Amino acid sequence: MTERATTLGVAVIGTGRMGADHVRRIHEVTSGARVTAVVDVDAERAKAVAARVDGCTAYTDPAAAMAAADVEAVLIASPGPAHEATLLAAFERDLPVLCEKPLTPDAASALRVLEAELRLGHRRVQVGFMRRYDPEYVKLKALLTTGQLGRPLMVHNRHRNAASPPFFTSTMLISDSVAHEADATRWLLGHEITAVTVLRPTPSANAPDGLRDPQFVVFETDGGALSDVEIFVNCGFGYQVQAEVVCERGTARIGDGHALVTNMAGRWGGTIAQDFTERFETAYDQEVQTWVDATRRGEVTGPSVWDGYAAAAVCEAGVRALEDGGRVEVELVERPALYA
Ligand SMILES: NC(=O)c1ccc[n+]([C@@H]2O[C@H](COP(=O)([O-])OP(=O)(O)OC[C@H]3O[C@@H](n4cnc5c(N)ncnc54)[C@H](O)[C@@H]3O)[C@@H](O)[C@H]2O)c1
């Protein structure tokens, strides 16, 4: 394919925390793209974000933005329940899409999106599982791929937030947070997750009333591996994402934050990121740049609609395991050839 000569006109749909940050990113960091439209059901918010970028028009209706002549690609950053309708509208115009995670909030709606993309006959969507672009995760994946460590047996994941937002519920620890480990586990190991168990210690006294925080999640995979996740969203001290893969001939671990170690006054130590925008800044930059570059080449790369569907199915099983206790099997349709 030949690289397009002009910059890619992008509509950013949803201008909340992530959407506004992606607008800034495309405007200031990404090369080869410009934000030509922003969309939000909150008209004032859309106007305020559009005002930061020359030549950017504010809309309240995603379909109206997608119909504009200067919109050639779509970045979806509205809340998960709004993704399906926007994805289907983008498919009608055959527009390339970067869709924030989750693809959709449940497996049935994710499957409808998958079936719609199959009807198009080609991939159109990169799903926003940005850990695949984080330099530490990329190194870990590359090491596992060499086979030097042997077969992966277990993954130990820790996912901690300083504090959860007021709207956070016990099931969101799975569907919003552990969704990232569902994808990271599938991607690192190249396995599908077949069953989920959720164990629930007595909640932390620092968690809001009624929130089951922390939780301990165990994934089983079709390659015979186990992947456990400590999810703790009110740990108080910062934002930490760590992963250790235990293989037959060694282990590999990321996320210790050892980039800067200080020695001072009888102590040694470093700093802990306070939120995901800080910890994964490079990952978000790489994710968006990769999407723009691939789109300009006429290609689609990265996490696919299949990956979004599989993660949704894992999270659905996880939510049932949390609510009912016990082990819940993950139900997946057969993987279509488009996603081989
Ligand atoms: N990859 C990550 O690490 C990461 C981190 C945070 C959030 N996210 C994802 O990004 C998405 C947005 O999250 P957020 O934290 O920015 O939420 P947010 O609530 O801050 O912003 C959402 C915005 O979308 C607007 N909106 C709602 N329905 C809409 C619709 N139908 N069309 C257009 N706009 C609509 C809202 O008015 C709001 O301005 C979610 O899918 C979330 O899961 C991903």
Side-chain angles (χ1 to χ4, degrees), residues 161-185:
N161 295 19
S164 58
F167 56 82
F168 226 63
T169 62
S170 297
T171 58
M172 287 172 84
L173 270 75
I174 306 282
S175 59
D176 233 65
S177 304
V178 175
H180 283 292
E181 277 76 20
D183 183 66
T185 296

Side-chain angles (χ1 to χ4, degrees), residues 279-311:
R279 165 67 179 87
F280 285 114
E281 185 182 4
T282 307
Y284 295 122
D285 289 351
Q286 291 292 337
E287 170 190 67
V288 172
Q289 189 65 64
T290 303
W291 174 64
V292 166
D293 291 346
T295 303
R296 295 181 78 219
R297 293 194 307 269
E299 295 174 5
V300 183
T301 61
S304 67
V305 165
W306 174 263
D307 296 312
Y309 160 69

Side-chain angles (χ1 to χ4, degrees), residues 188-204:
L188 285 172
L189 301 182
H191 301 171
E192 288 298 353
I193 295 168
T194 52
V196 187
T197 305
V198 180
L199 302 172
R200 304 164 300 177
T202 302
S204 162

Side-chain angles (χ1 to χ4, degrees), residues 237-292:
F237 57 76
Y239 181 84
Q240 248 183 358
V241 168
Q242 298 172 332
E244 181 177 33
V245 185
V246 178
C247 302
E248 287 172 323
R249 289 194 292 276
T251 72
R253 170 170 160 150
I254 58 167
D256 290 309
H258 286 167
L260 178 71
V261 176
T262 55
N263 297 286
M264 203 173 77
R267 288 170 178 270
W268 65 271
T271 54
I272 301 175
Q274 288 303 298
D275 70 8
F276 52 85
T277 55
E278 185 184 349
R279 165 67 179 87
F280 285 114
E281 185 182 4
T282 307
Y284 295 122
D285 289 351
Q286 291 292 337
E287 170 190 67
V288 172
Q289 189 65 64
T290 303
W291 174 64
V292 166

